[in-house]
C-alpha cells in the first residue's frame, strides 16, 4: 500500500484492523495487536499492542507470532490473522482448534494454504524463537516443519473469507 500502515487504512469508514478485530474478538479470550509502528493509534483501539521481539523487528509475521506466544500463559493458544483479511469466518477458531489439538498448531486451507490464519500453542515459543534466530522467515515452511493440522475451508466461497486487501484500490472496490 505504498508504504502506508495497512491496518490503519479505512475500509467502510473504519480502520482495516478493526474489521479483523470484530471478527476475531468473539472467538478469542482477548485480543492482542502485533504492530511495529503507529503504536499509539493501534493502542487507541483498546487492545494490547505487541511490537516484534528485540532483534527481530520487522522480521515478518513469525516475529509477531512469537511476540504473541510470549504474551500468553504456558497452557494457552494464540489465534492469528493478518490485518488485511476483514472477512474472516465466524468459526475460524473452533475449526483451527479441532485441527490443532493433537499437534499444537494448525493453519487454514481453502483453495490454498493460509498460514497466517493459524492457531498455535504456547509450547511452540522456543521452536519458533530458534527458527527466527537462525534466520528463518517463511511462515508456511516453519509451520509445516512442525507437527501440524490443517483446518479445511472447502465450501464454495470460503476462499473469499481469506482474501487479502493488499492495495488501496481493494479498499474502495
Amino acid at each position: 500500500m505504498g508504504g502506508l500502515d495497512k491496518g490503519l487504512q479505512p475500509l467502510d469508514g473504519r480502520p482495516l484492523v478493526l474489521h479483523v478485530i470484530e471478527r476475531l474478538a468473539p472467538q478469542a479470550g482477548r485480543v492482542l495487536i502485533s504492530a511495529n509502528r503507529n503504536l499509539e493509534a493501534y493502542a487507541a483501539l483498546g487492545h494490547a499492542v505487541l511490537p516484534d521481539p528485540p532483534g527481530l523487528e520487522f522480521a515478518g509475521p513469525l516475529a509477531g507470532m512469537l511476540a504473541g506466544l510470549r504474551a500468553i500463559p504456558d497452557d494457552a493458544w494464540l489465534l492469528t490473522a493478518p490485518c488485511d483479511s476483514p472477512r474472516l469466518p465466524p468459526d475460524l477458531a473452533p475449526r483451527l482448534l479441532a485441527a490443532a489439538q493433537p499437534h499444537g498448531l494448525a493453519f487454514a486451507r481453502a483453495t490454498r494454504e493460509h498460514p497466517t490464519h493459524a492457531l498455535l500453542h504456547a509450547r511452540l515459543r522456543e521452536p519458533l524463537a530458534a527458527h527466527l534466530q537462525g534466520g528463518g522467515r517463511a511462515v508456511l515452511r516453519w509451520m509445516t516443519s512442525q507437527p501440524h493440522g490443517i483446518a479445511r475451508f472447502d465450501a464454495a466461497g470460503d476462499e473469499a473469507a481469506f482474501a487479502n486487501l493488499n492495495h488501496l484500490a481493494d479498499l474502495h472496490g
Side-chain angles (χ1 to χ4, degrees), residues 44-59:
L45 299 174
H47 302 283
V49 179
L50 306 174
D52 289 346
L56 294 170
E57 296 87 351
F58 299 97

Side-chain angles (χ1 to χ4, degrees), residues 75-97:
D75 61 346
W77 293 88
L78 178 71
L79 174 63
T80 68
C83 69
D84 61 0
S85 295
R87 297 176 185 93
L88 296 170
D91 62 345
L92 180 66
R95 290 174 72 175
L96 284 169
L97 183 60

Side-chain angles (χ1 to χ4, degrees), residues 14 23 136:
R14 296 174 307 156
R23 290 287 180 130

Side-chain angles (χ1 to χ4, degrees), residues 26-158:
Q27 302 181 56
R30 71 178 172 147
V31 173
L32 305 169
I33 300 172
S34 173
N36 289 305
R37 56 184 179 154
N38 301 310
L39 303 181
E40 299 82 16
Y42 284 107
L45 299 174
H47 302 283
V49 179
L50 306 174
D52 289 346
L56 294 170
E57 296 87 351
F58 299 97
L62 288 175
M65 290 177 186
L66 179 59
L69 288 171
R70 288 179 171 171
I72 63 174
D74 290 344
D75 61 346
W77 293 88
L78 178 71
L79 174 63
T80 68
C83 69
D84 61 0
S85 295
R87 297 176 185 93
L88 296 170
D91 62 345
L92 180 66
R95 290 174 72 175
L96 284 169
L97 183 60
Q101 282 194 325
H103 311 288
L105 166 65
F107 55 86
R109 184 179 198 297
T111 57
R112 65 178 187 84
E113 288 83 10
H114 296 281
T116 56
H117 299 84
L119 189 69
L120 302 90
H121 194 274
R123 69 177 175 258
L124 291 172
R125 281 185 202 114
E126 294 313 314
L128 180 52
H131 177 77
L132 285 163
Q133 291 301 329
R137 300 294 183 264
V139 178
L140 186 59
R141 183 174 298 139
W142 177 75
M143 288 187 171
T144 58
S145 76
Q146 303 297 309
H148 67 280
I150 297 174
R152 299 196 181 276
F153 291 82
D154 296 327
D158 275 353

